[in-house]
C-alpha cells in the first residue's frame, strides 16, 4: 500500500468512527470529499481546524460554543428562574430548534449508570445543584431521555431537590403530533394514557 493510499485509508477509518457512519458509508463520504476537493473538502478541513481551535464548553451550563460563557447564559432575558436539564448538547440544540423554551439550560454530560460506574460526581449534577441554589431557580424541567438510565437520573435529581421548594417537572410523554396509534410501541401508548388531560 502506497503512502497516499495509507492516508486515504486513515481518513476513512477516522470517518468511520463518527456516529451513524460505518466503514462503507465512510468510504463513500471520503470518495465524495476527494471528488469535490475544492468545493467541499478544503472548506470542511478549514472549518474543522477552526472549530477544533475555538470550541469550548460553557463554564455555566456545559453547552458548546466559542466563548467561556455561551450566548444563552449571557442573555439576561433568559434569566427566567427556569432551568431545563438535558443529557447532552445535542438535546439542548434540539430544544432550541423548537424555540418554545426561553429559560436557561444545564447539560449533565450523560446519565447515571451503575453498570458503567457513572455516578453523580462524573456528571454535572453537583454543578446543577449549586446553580439552582445560586441563581434563584424556581423550576427545574427534566428533559431527559425516556430510558432506564434517563429516568434513574431524573429520580435522583428530583430526590436531591425534595424539600427545597423548587418545582421539578418533566416533559410530557406520549403520542407525537402527527403520530398514528397503530405505529406506536406499547410503552408510548401507556405513557400517553397516564399523561392524558381534559380537553
Amino acid at each position: 500500500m502506497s503512502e497516499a493510499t495509507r492516508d486515504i485509508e486513515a481518513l476513512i477509518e477516522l470517518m468511520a468512527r463518527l456516529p451513524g457512519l460505518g466503514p462503507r458509508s465512510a468510504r463513500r463520504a471520503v470518495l465524495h470529499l476527494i471528488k469535490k476537493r475544492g468545493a467541499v473538502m478544503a472548506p470542511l478541513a478549514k472549518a474543522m481546524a477552526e472549530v477544533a481551535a475555538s470550541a469550548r464548553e460553557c463554564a455555566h451550563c456545559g453547552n458548546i460554543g466559542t466563548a467561556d460563557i455561551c450566548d444563552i447564559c449571557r442573555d439576561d432575558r433568559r434569566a427566567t428562574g427556569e432551568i431545563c436539564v438535558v443529557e447532552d448538547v445535542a438535546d439542548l440544540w434540539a430544544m432550541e430548534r423548537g424555540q418554545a423554551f426561553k429559560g436557561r439550560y444545564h447539560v449533565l454530560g450523560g446519565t447515571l449508570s451503575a453498570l458503567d460506574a457513572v455516578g453523580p460526581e462524573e456528571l454535572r449534577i453537583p454543578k446543577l445543584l449549586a446553580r439552582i441554589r445560586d441563581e434563584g431557580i424556581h423550576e427545574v424541567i427534566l428533559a431527559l431521555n425516556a430510558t432506564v438510565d434517563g429516568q434513574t437520573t431524573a429520580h435522583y435529581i428530583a430526590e436531591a431537590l425534595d424539600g427545597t421548594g423548587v418545582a421539578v417537572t418533566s416533559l410530557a410523554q406520549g403520542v407525537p403530533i402527527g403520530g398514528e396509534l397503530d405505529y406506536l410501541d406499547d410503552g408510548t401508548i401507556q405513557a400517553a394514557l397516564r399523561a392524558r388531560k381534559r380537553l
Side-chain angles (χ1 to χ4, degrees):
M1 183 183 294
S2 71
E3 190 173 331
T5 306
R6 272 199 302 271
D7 291 344
I8 293 170
E9 287 298 324
L11 179 57
I12 292 168
E13 285 179 27
L14 286 170
M15 293 282 285
R17 294 182 192 172
L18 296 173
L21 287 182
R24 294 171 87 185
S25 300
R27 188 171 302 282
R28 282 195 301 273
V30 168
L31 286 173
H32 176 77
L33 289 171
I34 292 170
K35 287 178 187 173
K36 305 282 185 178
R37 206 169 316 182
V40 179
M41 190 178 215
L44 176 63
K46 182 175 185 248
M48 289 178 78
E50 289 171 0
V51 170
S54 65
R56 58 184 48 104
E57 217 176 66
C58 175
H60 283 226
C61 72
N63 190 11
I64 299 292
T66 56
D68 290 332
I69 306 298
C70 73
D71 293 340
I72 294 171
C73 288
R74 281 199 313 258
D75 187 347
D76 290 336
R77 294 171 298 176
R78 298 194 76 145
T80 61
E82 298 173 334
I83 195 165
C84 182
V85 179
V86 295
E87 289 178 29
D88 202 297
V89 173
D91 300 326
L92 185 158
W93 291 355
M95 293 289 292
E96 280 296 283
R97 277 196 312 270
Q99 297 182 346
F101 181 65
K102 302 299 181 195
R104 291 185 173 157
Y105 295 92
H106 189 83
V107 179
L108 293 176
T111 53
L112 296 172
S113 174
L115 289 175
D116 298 323
V118 178
E121 299 301 323
E122 284 73 39
L123 303 176
R124 295 171 48 88
I125 292 177
K127 176 83 173 172
L128 169 66
L129 299 177
R131 283 186 69 195
I132 291 167
R133 183 186 63 243
D134 298 342
E135 295 178 23
I137 302 297
H138 60 78
E139 181 181 4
V140 173
I141 303 162
L142 299 174
L144 304 175
N145 292 326
T147 61
V148 172
D149 289 344
Q151 296 310 298
T152 300
T153 306
H155 288 297
Y156 179 89
I157 293 170
E159 284 180 16
L161 294 173
D162 190 33
T164 62
V166 175
V168 180
T169 59
S170 66
L171 296 183
Q173 298 173 351
V175 180
I177 293 174
E180 297 180 31
L181 293 179
D182 190 36
Y183 294 104
L184 300 178
D185 63 275
D186 297 344
T188 300
I189 292 173
Q190 290 170 6
L193 270 173
R194 285 194 301 270
R196 66 189 182 275
K197 59 182 181 179
R198 186 181 297 276
L199 291 175

